[in-house]
Amino acid sequence: MDGMSGPYLIRGSVSLPEAELMWRFSRSSGPGGQHVNTSDSQVELRFDLARTEALPEVWKQRALERLGGRLVDGVLTVRASEHRSQWRNRETAAVRLAALLAEATAPPPKPRRPTRIPRGINERRLREKKQRSDTKRGRSGRDWG
């Protein structure tokens, strides 16, 4: 298994630009015995969203707006340390980054058009409401004494 498993698609034909991904590896905390002390299995993947040329301009603006709180100087960082192997953590980090960008660049949802409630249905609802309230009023023992 050499090289990454192909380009990570964001949406349509746009994928994560391999050349613009910055990887950093460090020791992961958590289980793993003596081996974990010597292997850099935690992965930090950084992607310079502000300067990238790989995304269409509209997508880039959308992503910068939506991920504003997560960016440091326009750079998006994703960490992965669930797995004991660096390879699987790299996969996880790349997939996570692609998913984040896919969500952040998605077009805004279409505005909801309010639907009209047919008059008959509304009148029936009001009639039933009135009936219900009369039933409940009848239960209070005021008039009985």
Side-chain angles (χ1 to χ4, degrees):
M1 281 175 78
D2 56 331
M4 297 296 281
S5 65
Y8 291 91
L9 281 183
I10 297 176
R11 211 173 51 253
S13 60
V14 181
S15 60
L16 279 182
E18 201 65 58
E20 293 182 28
L21 300 181
M22 294 168 279
W23 299 93
R24 251 185 52 208
F25 308 103
S26 54
R27 303 213 173 120
S28 196
S29 60
Q34 291 94 326
H35 177 67
V36 83
N37 304 326
T38 59
S39 63
D40 293 341
S41 60
Q42 175 170 295
V43 170
E44 188 181 283
L45 175 57
R46 299 171 63 202
F47 176 63
D48 195 338
L49 188 56
R51 294 195 190 81
T52 185
E53 298 291 310
L55 298 178
E57 197 51 44
V58 188
W59 286 23
K60 196 157 108 176
Q61 289 315 318
R62 239 183 250 156
L64 284 169
E65 219 168 276
R66 293 186 188 165
L67 297 171
R70 282 198 62 153
L71 300 176
V72 181
D73 297 334
V75 176
L76 180 61
T77 306
V78 176
R79 271 200 194 86
S81 60
E82 300 77 279
H83 306 296
R84 279 175 60 174
S85 86
Q86 185 193 92
W87 172 257
R88 287 180 56 198
N89 281 332
R90 284 176 71 145
E91 290 279 302
T92 308
V95 167
R96 221 177 267 165
L97 182 65
L100 253 173
L101 287 174
E103 204 174 303
T105 57
K110 289 196 173 74
R112 179 183 171 279
R113 279 185 43 218
T115 51
R116 291 221 20 184
I117 299 170
R119 210 168 106 203
I121 289 178
N122 208 18
E123 283 173 358
R124 187 181 71 200
R125 182 182 63 88
L126 292 173
R127 228 185 1 265
E128 286 170 1
K129 246 173 102 118
K130 182 120 179 56
Q131 228 170 10
R132 191 99 196 108
S133 94
D134 290 346
T135 306
K136 287 188 172 190
R137 199 181 298 124
R139 287 185 192 147
S140 70
R142 275 198 312 245
D143 322 330
W144 289 2

